Every structure is written in structure tokens, then in C-alpha cells.
DNA sequence: ACCTGAACACCGTTCAAGT
DNA sequence: ACCTGAACACCGTTCAAGT
């Protein structure tokens, strides 16, 4: 006996839940069907195939990442606050963001951010190609940082080489540096510091 | 009749070739066996299973990315040249670098670079935690940029939203900016400009 | 020590058949 | 219009058997 009619939304919701909890590899058509209580083949009616199902999930994520508003009084402060807000949102959806990245849509996801950046560098008095460079540099900086940071978190235990590195000449010469690099980085602090440094140069 | 003895190196070389040409998804145990002219199961004798075969390829790539030497007279110039050399090397092995990234070993691959950066920020007169911050900020900047850049290149045709963005108020107010952002970015130029801006701030 | 084919448990997808 | 099970061509891996 057929089950009550499935909807495309129901399929996408359940698929998104599987991806959020266990990553995209855990999304098999058979597991999804089991979760939905339907035959595997019913899914095909609603979403085509596995690839376009993933496409749809990615598209939904891109849409969701729209509305982050900067705060602060100076353009520099507003750019930094935008960057920090963005980083927070991205980090709340790691698997889905990774999928957006793998689908090559990171840039499109950042269109609203770019629009805001244009407004702020303009307010800071930059014009023309100088303004365009600043917008692009900040955008690359933000996206790049989050990608690297995610990678660090997924990394397995660091190899011994990490500590070895600071036992040589550097440690004798500058023990404070050696200690600082031996400690794990504080990503939030490093992120803010990096964006501030870049923005200071670019808006100068 | 059994074929002449396979070696682990031969398996790794052939696997690396398949990955370089068609990406990691094209590396199936059956295709690899066909390429080697052996039975599928012979591969397991030499490399364990598919996962540890991929691990071995990643490890090889990490080792290969060791020796990039900076040039230039000032620390800032040397850091920029290091960054540019690194970017070039990374871009020569896109699939393998993506695999290193996915295995969470990007950071480990960058240990030699970090060592060089320490030397240069030191030469610039930075000490202690200030030096550590500078090293980390530059490293994140370089790695992040290359990851974002790769993503851009893989991206499918941009959605119409890209052009729409610059037809509004901004275009009227600052046509030079609108034109600059409508043109495709020059990544090499943007990269150099970004690293220079960051380094200028950090070493100031 | 190393190579082999058969077999197993998975996977995405297609298809003909239901209602 | 939508759901279904059977079947197909793949996949990684295990195993018992060769030499």
C-alpha cells in the first residue's frame, strides 16, 4: 500500500537534517527513504536524483545566508563587525557551508556581503578601482579565514613536528614567541586582529 | 598466471596519476587495478585499503611541499615573495591540495612556511606574542586566499545577480567602481595587494 | 610473500507496473 | 500524479585458494 503523499519540502527537510547531523556522505538515497518511510524510488519523483537533491540543499543554504547587518560608528568598525557576524553564521552550519564551497557557490553566497562592503568602503572615502580592490581583499580575507579555521578543527592530532619546531634557535632567542606559538591559537581574536590590520591598511 | 610483482611505490604512482588527471573520485580500486594490469585484490596487499591509499597520497603531497625560499631585501618583501611562491606551488597541484585540505592536514603542510615566517617577522623587529600573531595572520591569509581562489575557478557560470548588483545607486554614484567590480578579478594582483596590505599593518 | 577470482554487502538509477 | 519492488551496473572489501 502506498504511503501518504510525500512533498518536495519534506524530502529536502529530512535530507538537510541528515546532512547537518552526519555530513553529506551519510545522505544515501536508501537511508533517506528509510527516514521518510517511503520507497527509495519515490524520492526520485520529487527531486530528480541525488545530485540535484544536493544542489537543492546548497541553494537553500545560500538563500539562508542573506541578512547580516553591520554595527558600529566608523566604516572600519562596521566592516569588522560585519566580518565577525559572518564568521559566526558560517560556523553555525559547517557541513552545509562545506557543501556550498564544494559546489563552487561560496562567491554567490557572499553577494549580499559584498554589497554591504561596497557601501562601507564608499563611506570611508574610497572610489573607483581602489574601492573595488578593498572590497575584494576583505571578502577574500573573511571567506578564506573561515575555510582555514574549519580545516584546523577537523584536523587530526598534530604531528610531533609541531612542537619540535619551537625547540631550536627561536626558543632561546625569543622564549615568549616560542610559548605563544606552542599555545593553540584563539581564532576569534586572530580573526578580528587580521581583519582590523587589513582594513586599516586598505582604508588608509 | 600472476603478473610480475607489484610494488607499493608503483601503486602510489599510478594512483597519484589518476588523481592528478581526473580527481579523487576517479580513483576506484577497479580502475586502478586495470591501470596496473593486476587483480583488484592485489592492491590491498600493498596499501591496505582505499582510505589508507588516499592517506598515503596526501602524505606524499605534504612532503613534496617543503622547500620554498623567499627572496628580497626587506622582511616585508621576503614575506610577500614567500607568499607568491607558495601560491604558485599550491596551484600546480589542485586536486592533491584539495585532498590535503579535506584530510585536515593543510596546517601541517604549512609548517616549513611558518618557520620561514618566524624568521622574517623576527628580522622585522617583532617579538613575543606580537610576532606570533603576525605569523599566524599571514599564514591564514595565504592559505585562505588560495582556497577561495580555487573555489572561484571551479564555480559554474555566475548567476545574473552578479551583474544586477551594480546597476543600482552605486553605478550612478561611482561608475569606475561599478566597472571595476563588473570585470573579473586579477587574482595574482589581488593576492599581492592583500598580503602587502596585511604585512604593512602587522610590521608597522 | 604476493597474486587471484568468487562472493558479499553496499550504492545510485531505471523501468514496468500499480493505483 | 505519485508510489512501488525488481533489476542493473557499479562500488569497496573479505576470503579461501593458489604459487
Amino acid at each position: 500500500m502506498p504511503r501518504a503523499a510525500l512533498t518536495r519540502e519534506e524530502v529536502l527537510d529530512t535530507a538537510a537534517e541528515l546532512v547537518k547531523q552526519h555530513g553529506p556522505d551519510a545522505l544515501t538515497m536508501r537511508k533517506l527513504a528509510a527516514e521518510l518511510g517511503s520507497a527509495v524510488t519515490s524520492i526520485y519523483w520529487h527531486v530528480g536524483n541525488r545530485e540535484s537533491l544536493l544542489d537543492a540543499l546548497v541553494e537553500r543554504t545560500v538563500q539562508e545566508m542573506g541578512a547580516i547587518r553591520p554595527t558600529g560608528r566608523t566604516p572600519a568598525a562596521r566592516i569588522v563587525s560585519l566580518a565577525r557576524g559572518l564568521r559566526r553564521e558560517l560556523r553555525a552550519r559547517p557541513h552545509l557551508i562545506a557543501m556550498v564551497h564544494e559546489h563552487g557557490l561560496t562567491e554567490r553566497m557572499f553577494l549580499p556581503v559584498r554589497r554591504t562592503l561596497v557601501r562601507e568602503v564608499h563611506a570611508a572615502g574610497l572610489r573607483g578601482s581602489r574601492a573595488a580592490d578593498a572590497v575584494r581583499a576583505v571578502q577574500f580575507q573573511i571567506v578564506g579565514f573561515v575555510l582555514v579555521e574549519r580545516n584546523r578543527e577537523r584536523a587530526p592530532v598534530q604531528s610531533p613536528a609541531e612542537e619540535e619546531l619551537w625547540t631550536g634557535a627561536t626558543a632561546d632567542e625569543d622564549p615568549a614567541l616560542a610559548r605563544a606559538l606552542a599555545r593553540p591559537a584563539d581564532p576569534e581574536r586572530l580573526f578580528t586582529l587580521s581583519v582590523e590590520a587589513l582594513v586599516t591598511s586598505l582604508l588608509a
Side-chain angles (χ1 to χ4, degrees), chain A:
Chain A
M1 194 183 75
R3 58 153 274 165
L6 227 50
T7 64
R8 183 181 158 87
E9 287 316 304
E10 194 186 350
V11 173
L12 291 182
D13 287 344
T14 307
E17 205 49 43
L18 277 174
V19 168
K20 274 183 193 162
Q21 290 183 11
H22 305 105
D25 287 354
L27 180 63
T28 72
M29 302 304 266
R30 283 171 166 85
K31 271 187 204 153
L32 179 54
E35 204 70 33
L36 290 163
S38 76
V40 186
T41 42
S42 302
I43 300 168
Y44 285 81
W45 178 266
H46 293 282
V47 298
N49 56 22
R50 183 173 187 273
E51 200 179 321
S52 49
L53 169 57
L54 290 179
D55 287 350
L57 291 183
V58 163
E59 190 56 39
R60 253 163 59 136
T61 305
V62 169
Q63 298 303 332
E64 280 169 20
M65 294 292 301
I68 297 150
R69 298 287 154 249
T71 63
R73 268 177 296 122
T74 66
R78 291 166 65 80
I79 289 175
V80 173
S81 92
L82 176 71
R84 290 166 57 96
L86 198 51
R87 172 171 170 274
R88 195 183 337 105
E89 289 302 313
L90 292 171
R91 291 173 54 73
R93 307 156 167 77
H95 286 308
L96 286 167
I97 298 299
M99 283 171 59
V100 172
H101 181 62
E102 279 148 30
H103 277 66
L105 292 177
T106 313
E107 286 301 310
R108 190 152 74 74
M109 186 167 69
F110 274 81
L111 272 181
V113 171
R114 185 184 263 226
R115 205 179 262 120
T116 307
L117 285 174
V118 165
R119 194 163 51 237
E120 296 303 334
V121 302
H122 233 230
L126 266 56
R127 293 289 181 276
S129 65
R130 180 101 187 283
D133 285 342
V135 166
R136 284 188 163 127
V138 172
Q139 185 182 339
F140 267 71
Q141 164 101 330
I142 298 171
V143 188
F145 192 99
V146 174
L147 290 178
V148 177
E149 190 182 1
R150 260 298 282 167
N151 182 260
R152 279 188 155 241
E153 289 168 351
R154 282 187 309 174
V157 190
Q158 292 293 343
S159 85
E162 179 92 43
E163 290 90 52
E164 268 170 42
L165 184 56
W166 314 117
T167 58
T170 309
D172 297 340
E173 202 184 323
D174 188 349
L177 168 60
R179 274 199 311 277
L181 282 176
R183 276 197 301 273
D186 173 349
E188 171 121 24
R189 195 181 138 272
L190 183 65
F191 179 70
T192 305
L193 176 156
S194 297
V195 177
E196 277 170 351
L198 184 69
V199 169
T200 300
S201 264
L202 291 171
L203 300 190

